[in-house]
Amino acid sequence: MTIRVLLADDQTLVRASFAMLVASAGDMEVVAEAGTGREAVELARSARADLVVMDIRMPDLDGIEATRLIAADDDLAGVKVLVLTTYDTDEHIVEALRAGASGFLVKDIRPAELLDAIRTVAAGESLLSPGPTSRLIARFLRAPDTATSAVGGPDALSERERQVLTLVARGLNNTEIAETLGLSPLTAKTHVSRIMGKLGARDRAQLVIVAYESGLVIPKVV
């Protein structure tokens, strides 16, 4: 299946570079490009994109609000958002995850990593590697936010599900969770799906937020 990608960035050169890279992959195509957040929301609908690569800082409507509008639109329920950040200086990344983004990329990412990230998020996984995730949470996640208030807490989970949720929050994928807990990958995937259902979470990124905000996982100060 071809992944339909929408590129949203106010810098024409950046969009052009990403577009050339995506076009070079046989399993994805660029269906539209947006220079503002408002254009990104409109084109996500009209171009029938599967995934939006969304810059945070854009005119008219920033990437965070654009992500929130996409995530809240029932007609765009299947659209994933992958946000771009200048990691060390961007303090809005957690807000973007709360808004509904499925992960984040550093803007100076290597070409192959961008393509792998698009495939990962399009497949329903979250792009949340253990190191950057824990550092971001430690720096910026300090109090619950209304954007996740509708998501349940871990009290309703079984002990095994709480273990799985903890590992998801640490950035492990299903295969790594299975290896850590001595489960089959299918069982690990089933646990993650059930946890998302019980908590009313949109994706794994929201599971990470829930795990940290509930105190199930305590961030290490970096």
Side-chain angles (χ1 to χ4, degrees):
M1 184 182 69
T2 300
I3 304 169
R4 298 172 60 82
V5 180
L6 165 60
L7 300 175
D9 195 297
D10 64 331
Q11 298 182 41
T12 304
L13 183 58
V14 172
R15 292 202 313 271
S17 298
F18 283 171
M20 289 178 61
L21 177 61
V22 171
S24 71
D27 59 343
M28 60 187 73
E29 64 174 325
V30 176
V31 295
E33 298 182 28
T36 71
R38 200 170 301 282
E39 286 180 354
V41 176
E42 294 171 353
L43 288 171
R45 297 191 183 101
S46 62
R48 296 182 294 110
D50 298 315
L51 180 144
V52 182
V53 178
M54 180 85 73
D55 187 22
I56 287 183
R57 292 182 172 86
M58 288 190 293
D60 186 22
L61 190 70
D62 67 34
I64 294 174
E65 187 57 31
T67 297
R68 185 173 289 112
L69 291 176
I70 290 173
D73 191 330
D74 291 339
D75 292 335
L76 299 176
V79 178
K80 306 294 184 182
V81 178
L82 190 58
V83 297
L84 292 174
T85 175
T86 51
Y87 175 64
D88 285 333
T89 59
D90 197 336
E91 300 186 2
H92 301 294
I93 187 63
V94 169
E95 189 177 351
L97 294 176
R98 283 173 168 155
S102 294
F104 60 89
L105 290 174
V106 181
K107 261 202 169 180
D108 62 356
I109 191 171
R110 293 194 297 269
E113 292 177 322
L114 172 60
L115 296 180
D116 286 343
I118 291 173
R119 294 184 183 103
T120 296
V121 173
E125 298 287 334
S126 293
L127 193 71
L128 298 167
S129 58
T133 298
S134 62
R135 288 195 295 271
L136 283 166
I137 295 293
R139 289 170 65 190
F140 305 130
L141 189 55
R142 290 292 181 259
D145 185 89
T146 55
T148 55
S149 60
V151 180
D155 291 345
L157 304 180
S158 67
E159 182 60 31
R160 174 62 83 187
E161 289 169 339
R162 289 167 66 88
Q163 292 173 342
V164 171
L165 177 57
T166 298
L167 296 178
V168 169
R170 296 299 188 194
L172 276 64
N173 60 33
N174 290 343
T175 300
E176 292 167 335
I177 291 171
E179 292 174 350
T180 300
L181 298 179
L183 306 171
S184 70
L186 179 58
T187 300
K189 181 179 180 179
T190 299
H191 278 307
V192 173
S193 297
R194 287 177 178 171
I195 292 168
M196 290 175 61
K198 286 185 177 181
L199 300 184
R202 172 186 171 93
D203 55 23
R204 295 170 75 108
Q206 277 200 328
L207 293 184
V208 174
I209 298 297
V210 169
Y212 279 99
E213 288 189 336
S214 66
L216 181 63
V217 178
I218 306 298
K220 296 179 181 179
V221 178
V222 177

